[in-house]
Amino acid sequence: SESGVLLDLLVEDQAVGLKRMRAGEVAACLCSSPRPVAGARALALGAMRYRAMASPAFIARHLAGGVSGERLARVPAIVFGPDDRLQHRFLAALGVEGGFLHHLCPSSEGFVRMAEAGLGWGLIPELQVAEQLASGRLREVLPERPVDVPLYWHSWRLGGERLDSLTRHVERTARHWLVALPGA
């Protein structure tokens, strides 16, 4: 990189990053919790906007009669992994508690491919699927119900100039790509 910093990136669900910081396994993490671990700071970056998506074929086969929380809970969903609770929270907001049919796919690219293939519906970052939406390969299941997940950059307070420089870069980049948090 131009700054001479090499990164060892670990891809996890947003909820897992702070566990790695507490264990001393990472110098910084991106997660959905605003509360830093002891000795760290948390910087509000913005929100990642997710949309409930599925292929046109999936919608025609499973949701042609209309979309409700109960119906979504009875058709296959796609969940990133066992720590991913986003679809659970989405369904709870629609009045559905408890379990639902779902595939597990711990790959963001694989998640989109599964949705395109008609294997299920899922909440996908809108930034990731602009091309699929424009081409019609994916459609929104409930267009009026986006889910904004706040993101916070956590880093050690005494991480040194390189970590501070990386933090400034992350903050600048986030302003360009993320949705502003309410009140920001």
Side-chain angles (χ1 to χ4, degrees):
S1 76
E2 62 190 52
S3 64
V5 174
L6 298 175
L7 301 174
D8 181 4
L9 295 175
L10 300 172
V11 178
E12 305 272 12
D13 185 69
Q14 302 106 314
V16 177
L18 287 182
K19 290 179 188 174
R20 289 195 177 268
M21 281 200 74
R22 276 188 209 94
E25 297 171 1
V26 297
C29 74
L30 187 63
C31 74
S32 57
S33 173
R35 287 192 306 258
V37 299
R41 60 187 168 202
L43 174 66
L45 296 176
M48 178 76 71
R49 178 158 286 167
Y50 287 77
R51 302 230 178 234
M53 310 270 201
S55 70
F58 183 88
I59 293 169
R61 185 169 58 250
H62 295 289
L63 304 171
V67 179
S68 68
E70 289 176 2
R71 180 163 276 181
L72 286 175
R74 290 194 312 265
V75 300
I78 308 166
V79 172
F80 186 76
D83 296 311
D84 176 14
R85 306 296 295 173
L86 193 56
Q87 278 74 210
H88 296 75
R89 289 194 305 268
F90 183 74
L91 288 172
L94 295 174
V96 176
E97 296 289 343
F100 56 94
L101 297 171
H102 63 275
H103 305 282
L104 291 178
C105 182
S107 158
S108 58
E109 294 82 11
F111 195 110
V112 172
R113 300 297 167 260
M114 286 181 75
E116 285 180 308
L119 296 174
W121 69 274
L123 287 156
I124 304 173
E126 68 180 8
L127 288 170
Q128 189 178 359
V129 291
E131 179 186 320
Q132 288 87 343
L133 279 170
S135 70
R137 293 194 314 268
L138 287 177
R139 288 188 14 218
E140 285 191 69
V141 173
L142 286 171
E144 72 281 4
R145 305 278 308 222
V147 177
D148 290 342
V149 176
L151 293 177
Y152 299 87
W153 176 253
H154 293 257
S155 59
W156 295 114
R157 289 187 184 278
L158 302 176
E161 179 51 37
R162 293 214 176 196
L163 185 55
D164 290 345
S165 176
L166 177 61
T167 296
R168 289 190 298 272
H169 179 75
V170 166
E171 184 177 23
R172 281 191 310 271
T173 302
R175 273 192 234 118
H176 179 73
W177 294 104
L178 298 179
V179 174
L181 292 170

